[in-house]
Amino acid sequence: MERFFRTVLCSLLIVTLFGLASVAEADPESMTRVLVSLDRPDAATVMIDMDLTVLLGDPARYYALAIGKGPQHEAEVQHVAALITRVLPLFAGSKPLHLSFVKYGFSQKSQAEYMDLAADKPAHFQFDVALPPEGGALQLRIPLGAQIDYPVAYTLQLPERHFTQTRWMDAGQHESLSFEYRGKLPTHHADQPASFDPDTLAWWQQLPIYLKLGFKHIVPEGTDHILFVLGLFFLGISWRKLLSQTTVFTVAHATTLFLSTYGIFELPSRFVEPAIALSISFVGLENVFSPRLGIMRLLVVFAFGLIHGFGFASSLSEVPFPKRDFIGALLGFNLGVDAGQLFIILLATLAVGWFRKRLWFRSRIAIPGSLVIAAIGLFWAGQRILAYNLLF
């Protein structure tokens, strides 16, 4: 009976790890920005920046749309614009507003970057919307199941009054704050609306936003980082081993995230992403062939933590950090990442930690789990090396 139970547990572990591999990088650290500028007496300008991979369901289709030309391409763009207005509809009271498509633009990225789900490549769409003279509460209402990336940064501007209000909507939030615009519209056409500015929020409003972004970057989006943390976990389940490794890893990735975000030192994602995959494989193999916590293991974890920090920074390249409270926002993001790592360790401990003192734990759980992690890391490394054409 015990042997059967061990076999089932091991099988579940392997299936779970391969399940993580199958969803790896399925949802990049992207966000959706909606800017509504009440810049005219009877209308508003709506600017939407979003990665269209999820909406279109295929990165190849997104790339074809980004580089396309001709009448057929323009018709496809018009169709996508209509889709965007359906997943991000505006209302004045109970009345849905009609958004008139004005212009568009796509990120100037390579085909490899469009195919790389970890790369952010937002499209820019601009619309005009007529506002009913009778007024009404202006509100963004996202339908259930909308194919967009969260969080959504919803910014409302009144340029004539120098008023800007930004609110963030997380997954599960479908309605923005409402704004009664009657009597507040400008008397003439204002200047072009400004871009989203997180400095319009106080530091205590920014902190939970970046905490959530950091946590979300690990759970559920950071599949490669999850596997790396599990690789640290399978070295041996003791507080000394887990605490020492995760502390070193945290210090390292926080250092390079800070340096890269400040623009002091950066590495291209074409080198960082394969290196992250190789780090996962290395840690898994070391668990099998050299399962000891020593200075060399900690140095290896620190070095790989530096690489993962560059990965965090690369995926956050399109996320706006405030200038005024930059350190607080970055600290919040790091704390969110740490919370995500601790959450993964907690889940792993609850799943298999009960058996850590059994004689069969290493042979039946730790070694198979580490080998699967190493295999997934090698697969990702080969996949990314080919995607970035690093062999040619």
Side-chain angles (χ1 to χ4, degrees), residues 12-174:
L12 286 174
L13 175 65
I14 292 173
V15 168
T16 301
L17 290 172
F18 274 114
L20 286 172
S22 67
V23 300
E25 302 176 304
D27 191 7
E29 184 61 52
S30 300
M31 61 183 293
T32 301
R33 305 180 200 178
V34 180
L35 172 63
V36 179
S37 181
L38 304 176
D39 52 2
R40 280 163 284 174
D42 56 356
T45 299
V46 180
M47 302 171 71
I48 297 175
D49 290 355
M50 62 183 295
D51 189 311
L52 298 177
T53 305
V54 176
L55 183 65
L56 298 179
D58 182 7
R61 184 184 173 192
Y62 187 15
Y63 176 67
L65 185 70
I67 64 170
K69 294 180 181 179
Q72 186 174 353
H73 171 257
E74 292 299 320
E76 178 70 8
V77 169
Q78 291 280 349
H79 172 68
V80 171
L83 290 178
I84 291 174
T85 63
R86 285 202 286 270
V87 296
L88 295 168
L90 287 171
F91 285 78
S94 60
K95 181 179 180 180
L97 299 179
H98 174 69
L99 275 65
S100 300
F101 179 45
V102 176
K103 62 180 181 179
Y104 67 94
F106 293 102
S107 298
Q108 299 299 310
K109 302 288 182 73
S110 66
Q111 182 178 7
E113 288 173 305
Y114 270 92
M115 300 303 293
D116 180 6
L117 297 178
D120 197 34
K121 51 273 180 190
H124 174 83
F125 280 71
Q126 182 172 322
F127 303 86
D128 284 339
V129 57
L131 298 174
E134 65 272 16
L138 186 64
Q139 190 177 42
L140 174 68
R141 300 176 188 171
I142 303 174
L144 289 171
Q147 298 299 303
I148 62 171
D149 286 312
Y150 282 92
V152 176
Y154 176 65
T155 300
L156 184 73
Q157 290 185 340
L158 279 167
E160 188 177 68
R161 296 171 181 254
H162 305 286
F163 171 83
T164 301
Q165 173 184 278
T166 298
R167 293 295 180 266
W168 293 68
M169 301 168 64
D170 263 324
Q173 294 177 306
H174 302 286

Side-chain angles (χ1 to χ4, degrees), residues 188-247:
H188 61 278
H189 194 294
D191 293 334
Q192 189 71 11
S195 61
F196 166 70
D197 181 10
D199 277 313
T200 59
L201 300 177
W203 70 268
W204 54 269
Q205 292 174 304
Q206 294 176 12
L207 184 61
I209 291 171
Y210 290 99
L211 275 169
K212 290 179 183 178
L213 283 174
F215 187 88
K216 183 184 175 187
H217 190 73
I218 299 297
V219 183
E221 295 177 355
T223 319
D224 46 1
H225 303 297
I226 289 175
L227 286 187
F228 187 84
V229 171
L230 288 177
L232 304 183
F233 174 84
F234 281 128
L235 177 67
I237 305 178
S238 72
W239 283 114
R240 184 178 70 87
K241 291 182 178 180
L242 290 176
L243 187 62
S244 57
Q245 291 183 99
T246 54
T247 300

Side-chain angles (χ1 to χ4, degrees), residues 95-385:
K95 181 179 180 180
L97 299 179
H98 174 69
L99 275 65
S100 300
F101 179 45
V102 176
K103 62 180 181 179
Y104 67 94
F106 293 102
S107 298
Q108 299 299 310
K109 302 288 182 73
S110 66
Q111 182 178 7
E113 288 173 305
Y114 270 92
M115 300 303 293
D116 180 6
L117 297 178
D120 197 34
K121 51 273 180 190
H124 174 83
F125 280 71
Q126 182 172 322
F127 303 86
D128 284 339
V129 57
L131 298 174
E134 65 272 16
L138 186 64
Q139 190 177 42
L140 174 68
R141 300 176 188 171
I142 303 174
L144 289 171
Q147 298 299 303
I148 62 171
D149 286 312
Y150 282 92
V152 176
Y154 176 65
T155 300
L156 184 73
Q157 290 185 340
L158 279 167
E160 188 177 68
R161 296 171 181 254
H162 305 286
F163 171 83
T164 301
Q165 173 184 278
T166 298
R167 293 295 180 266
W168 293 68
M169 301 168 64
D170 263 324
Q173 294 177 306
H174 302 286
E175 294 185 355
S176 70
L177 293 177
S178 58
F179 181 81
E180 179 56 66
Y181 62 83
R182 185 167 52 184
K184 300 174 184 176
L185 295 176
T187 56
H188 61 278
H189 194 294
D191 293 334
Q192 189 71 11
S195 61
F196 166 70
D197 181 10
D199 277 313
T200 59
L201 300 177
W203 70 268
W204 54 269
Q205 292 174 304
Q206 294 176 12
L207 184 61
I209 291 171
Y210 290 99
L211 275 169
K212 290 179 183 178
L213 283 174
F215 187 88
K216 183 184 175 187
H217 190 73
I218 299 297
V219 183
E221 295 177 355
T223 319
D224 46 1
H225 303 297
I226 289 175
L227 286 187
F228 187 84
V229 171
L230 288 177
L232 304 183
F233 174 84
F234 281 128
L235 177 67
I237 305 178
S238 72
W239 283 114
R240 184 178 70 87
K241 291 182 178 180
L242 290 176
L243 187 62
S244 57
Q245 291 183 99
T246 54
T247 300
V248 166
F249 181 63
T250 297
V251 170
H253 73 62
T255 300
T256 45
L257 176 59
F258 176 84
L259 293 175
S260 186
T261 307
Y262 253 119
I264 298 173
F265 186 74
E266 299 178 6
L267 280 180
S269 59
R270 64 193 301 262
F271 299 121
V272 172
E273 294 302 323
I276 288 175
L278 289 172
S279 74
I280 295 168
S281 183
F282 185 94
V283 167
L285 291 174
E286 192 176 44
N287 288 348
V288 176
F289 298 106
S290 183
R292 293 183 299 275
L293 178 66
I295 187 63
M296 287 306 298
R297 170 74 174 201
L298 293 179
L299 287 175
V300 166
V301 171
F302 183 81
F304 290 153
L306 295 176
I307 296 171
H308 282 246
F310 286 120
F312 291 145
S314 175
S315 64
L316 287 176
S317 59
E318 297 296 332
V319 176
F321 276 89
K323 297 179 177 65
R324 186 180 63 231
D325 297 313
F326 175 81
I327 296 297
L330 193 60
L331 177 62
F333 179 81
N334 267 298
L335 290 175
V337 168
D338 295 340
Q341 293 173 177
L342 291 175
F343 181 73
I344 293 301
I345 289 174
L346 175 62
L347 290 183
T349 302
L350 291 175
V352 299
W354 312 101
F355 315 108
R356 65 186 184 277
K357 294 183 180 179
R358 298 294 183 94
L359 295 177
W360 48 263
F361 178 80
R362 175 167 164 75
S363 61
R364 298 284 184 172
I365 303 296
I367 289 179
S370 296
L371 287 174
V372 171
I373 289 172
I376 294 172
L378 284 175
F379 173 74
W380 284 345
Q383 193 178 49
R384 295 173 187 182
I385 287 170

